Amino acid sequence: MARWYRLALLLKGRTDAAEAAFLATCGDVAHEFDEIRNEKAQMKLFVRRLRERCEKAGDVREGDDNGTPPIALAISRLAEPMRSATALFFLRMFSAAEIAQTCGMSVDDLATLLGEARELLRRAGVIPEEAAVS
Amino acid sequence: MKTEVARRLLGCHQVEHEPGDSRVRKAAQQAGKEEELRPLLEAQLRFDEKVRAAVDRIELPTELRNKIVALEPTPRVASGRRFWKNPALFAAVLSVVVTLVLLGSGLLDRADDFPGKEVVMQMIERARGMSGVELEPITPQPLGKLADWFAMNGVEQFAVPPELTPLHAVGCRVYKQNGFLVAQAAVEKSNVLVHVFKAADLGVKAPANQWQTFRVEDWAGAVRQYEGMGIMLALHGSESEMEDLLASLK
């Protein structure tokens, strides 16, 4: 459950918006989960529904949210589909091929995108002591 | 693999899921041997580990956790919950109730009905509510070769009559109906959902050598038994469309 909340926070960047999207998605999938025994299939469904919820709600940027960790803020500020791909990658929820499929791209494109995301995160200073990786 | 390709693919290398993509795995293996790539991979792994550690420190707020727990349906009484969770007891009681209802209404005497029809109608109701994402996509393969897939997903026995074996399935899943497992497969061309279950578990007694069709609102079903298994087809359409489909299988 914590991992799915983390995903919501990485996508939304604000605790209030993440909690709302997370709760709404739990409600969305509650009855559907009864029919899916495969855990991976459940994860895929949850991610799909959560992304739909987040996209529907749009980006919330006004106001400060002191409760959001810098890493979540930085990832949430990436553009889609880089944001979703990066969040899923660092949450270790899926293999590269599954992330690529979820985000509608090839594994090669995903690899390029993640390389760019790392560079953006490094510049954002969320891991300040790190040198450039590419 | 060319160094440039390996360098790019390293971008999605992750230790946890490494076996999932052979090209990425090969790129990582190559990076371990090439002077040019090794420092890049090591730096990337260090960076990723720190980002993941930061992500893992995000905790689910206790208040939110309580709200999620509150979303789960509360049983009326504890013993009732145990009753619903006990498949054997549930099936026994359900079977008695259904039989009594059928006997009471004289439905067993009707030629177009059969014991357990209520259960297969419930399966169609489920199918009507599906969006498609419930199914696990698979490489198209004949229904007759899906026994291994279903065995890996908990279904010990899977068999379909000969007329169905050549149909290619594109998605599968296993779910529980009244506490018992039902194997479900979506067929590629005819938009039909095939359900396979142990007929005795669910109290279904359908004809063994012929299909019996029925309708559930805008869906049609066809059921028969084969080697002790209940086989139920469901499609969004009329009974005559189902009959056309069955005729095409012969």
Side-chain angles (χ1 to χ4, degrees), chain A residues 5-6 19 22-23 26 35 37 41 45 48 89-90 92 94-96 108 111-112 118 129-130 133, chain B residues 8 11 14 16-17 23 40 44 48 50 52 55-56 58 60 64 126 133 136 153 173-175:
Chain A
Y5 168 70
R6 286 175 194 138
E19 288 184 15
F22 178 70
L23 264 177
C26 287
E35 304 196 0
R37 294 179 67 248
L45 176 64
R48 182 173 161 174
F89 180 82
F90 285 117
R92 290 161 287 186
F94 300 115
S95 69
D108 289 71
T112 304
R118 285 188 186 91
E129 69 273 28
E130 272 297 326
V133 293
Chain B
R8 188 175 66 248
Q14 48 183 339
E16 297 82 4
H17 293 285
R23 290 173 66 226
L40 289 174
Q44 179 182 300
D48 288 359
K50 287 176 181 173
R52 282 173 175 160
V55 169
D56 287 347
I58 299 172
L60 179 68
L64 183 60
R126 277 190 184 226
V133 297
E136 184 80 8
N153 285 274
R173 71 163 171 161
V174 175
Y175 68 85

Side-chain angles (χ1 to χ4, degrees), chain A residues 69-75 120-129, chain B residues 47 51 54:
Chain A
I71 187 65
L73 267 180
I75 291 177
L120 290 169
L121 293 178
R122 189 191 61 78
R123 286 185 197 161
V126 288
I127 309 291
E129 69 273 28
Chain B
F47 182 84
V51 173

Side-chain angles (χ1 to χ4, degrees), chain B residues 134-153:
Chain B
E134 299 88 348
L135 294 162
E136 184 80 8
I138 61 166
T139 305
Q141 54 190 297
L143 282 173
K145 294 187 176 175
L146 286 179
D148 287 346
W149 192 96
F150 282 114
M152 285 168 57
N153 285 274

